[in-house]
């Protein structure tokens, strides 16, 4: 059975800290891994990773994939209160772009 | 312009009732999805349609029936609502060849 596991489940940090969120997966026919951020409403797309070792970066957020060890990390540097959200990792499984999501990591950034 | 929209945003209803949630996307995507997010925030796919044709049907009670009148719309009808149906339901869309999915704002369903 395809599986996507995220850790930690929740995290509280102070503004300015750097955080690393983890996503490991076990899927057949791996194609890509996606990161989403969910604040109060809809998940919004952050990154899609397909190749090992190539970092994707957007401002203070970056992500990298390790296809040999079957995991990805999402780094957030100099965290701000606006980074508080649930971060979801997802992997397409089966056919037809079905996304299997991890349980998410709830990040809270305090002043 | 809203890319993926859902109505209503909130729905409170009694057990046993029948209700519908509507979804529309103006992105020109071929594929639309319904997801259920439970109280623990776990997001799980329910259905997917490509060009009005059902392509994913997860293990969902047959009280849930999706309907796609055209490729820009995917509605979800739920019969005989139960307490366990309380959740946030998200609609999403994508181009079939792209896995990046765009999500609607969600519909919070509360069954009393």
């Amino acid at each position: 059975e395809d599986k996507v596991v995220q850790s930690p489940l929740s995290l509280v940090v102070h503004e300015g800290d750097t955080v690393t969120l983890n996503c490991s997966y076990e899927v057949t026919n791996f194609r890509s891994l996606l990161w989403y951020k969910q604040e109060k409403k809809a998940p919004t797309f952050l990154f899609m990773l397909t190749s090992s070792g190539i970092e994707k970066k957007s401002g203070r957020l970056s992500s990298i994939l390790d296809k040999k060890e079957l995991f990805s990390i999402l780094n957030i540097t100099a965290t701000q209160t606006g980074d508080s959200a649930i971060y979801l990792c997802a992997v397409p499984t089966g056919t037809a772009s079905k996304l299997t999501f991890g349980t998410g990591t709830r990040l809270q950034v305090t002043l | 312009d809203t890319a993926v929209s859902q109505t209503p945003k909130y729905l409170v209803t009694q057990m046993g009732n029948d209700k519908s949630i509507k979804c529309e996307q103006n992105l020109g995507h071929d594929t639309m999805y319904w997801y259920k997010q439970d109280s623990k925030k776990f997001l799980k796919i329910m259905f997917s349609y490509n060009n009005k044709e059902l392509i994913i049907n997860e293990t969902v009670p047959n009280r849930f029936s999706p309907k796609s009148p055209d490729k820009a719309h995917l509605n979800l009808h739920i019969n005989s609502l139960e307490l366990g149906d309380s959740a946030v339901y998200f609609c999403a869309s994508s181009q079939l060849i792209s896995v990046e999915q765009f999500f609607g704002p969600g519909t919070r369903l509360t069954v009393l």
Side-chain angles (χ1 to χ4, degrees):
Chain A
E1 188 187 330
D2 297 321
K3 208 161 47 169
V4 180
V5 178
Q6 290 185 247
S7 63
L9 286 180
S10 66
L11 194 52
V12 181
V13 300
H14 292 296
E15 214 174 31
D17 287 351
T18 293
V19 297
T20 298
L21 310 182
N22 302 291
C23 175
S24 63
Y25 60 89
E26 285 178 37
V27 302
T28 52
N29 298 319
F30 176 82
R31 287 160 278 174
S32 59
L33 182 146
L34 292 86
W35 284 98
Y36 283 84
K37 176 183 181 182
Q38 185 176 19
E39 295 175 84
K40 289 201 170 27
K41 293 193 175 178
T44 52
F45 174 78
L46 293 174
F47 299 112
M48 182 167 79
L49 302 153
T50 54
S51 303
S52 248
I54 297 176
E55 187 183 55
K56 291 264 177 119
K57 203 167 165 61
S58 174
R60 296 176 294 101
L61 276 67
S62 63
S63 185
I64 199 158
L65 177 68
D66 186 327
K67 284 163 80 169
K68 187 178 169 195
E69 299 298 329
L70 308 182
F71 76 92
S72 172
I73 59 170
L74 176 68
N75 273 326
I76 310 174
T77 57
T79 50
Q80 300 171 358
T81 54
D83 295 326
S84 297
I86 296 172
Y87 290 84
L88 296 163
C89 169
V91 177
T93 56
T95 58
S97 303
K98 171 187 155 184
L99 284 181
T100 296
F101 281 86
T103 47
T105 293
R106 184 185 291 272
L107 173 66
Q108 186 181 347
V109 181
T110 61
L111 291 170
Chain B
D1 276 349
T2 305
V4 183
S5 59
Q6 294 178 229
T7 53
K9 289 201 169 102
Y10 299 95
L11 189 50
V12 182
T13 188
Q14 301 283 340
M15 267 174 60
N17 283 349
D18 303 339
K19 290 292 176 188
S20 292
I21 307 171
K22 295 187 175 182
C23 177
E24 177 181 0
Q25 54 95 4
N26 63 6
L27 297 165
H29 286 163
D30 300 318
T31 309
M32 296 183 72
Y33 310 81
W34 277 109
Y35 287 86
K36 179 180 180 181
Q37 188 172 46
D38 61 25
S39 56
K40 293 182 181 172
K41 300 296 184 184
F42 184 56
L43 200 58
K44 192 163 163 47
I45 191 158
M46 300 171 70
F47 301 104
S48 173
Y49 269 73
N50 175 246
N51 273 323
K52 304 193 296 175
E53 186 183 334
L54 181 66
I55 54 172
I56 294 174
N57 185 354
E58 292 294 289
T59 310
V60 176
N62 57 15
R63 299 181 294 104
F64 290 77
S65 52
K67 282 193 172 45
S68 181
D70 55 62
K71 74 172 195 177
H73 295 84
L74 180 62
N75 303 324
L76 183 66
H77 187 75
I78 317 169
N79 287 328
S80 303
L81 279 155
E82 299 177 358
L83 293 175
D85 298 332
S86 296
V88 180
Y89 291 85
F90 285 100
C91 177
S93 73
S94 71
Q95 288 288 65
L96 185 59
I97 58 170
S98 165
V99 295
E100 182 188 341
Q101 294 179 14
F102 294 81
F103 284 79
T107 295
R108 183 176 291 278
L109 171 65
T110 303
V111 182
L112 303 174

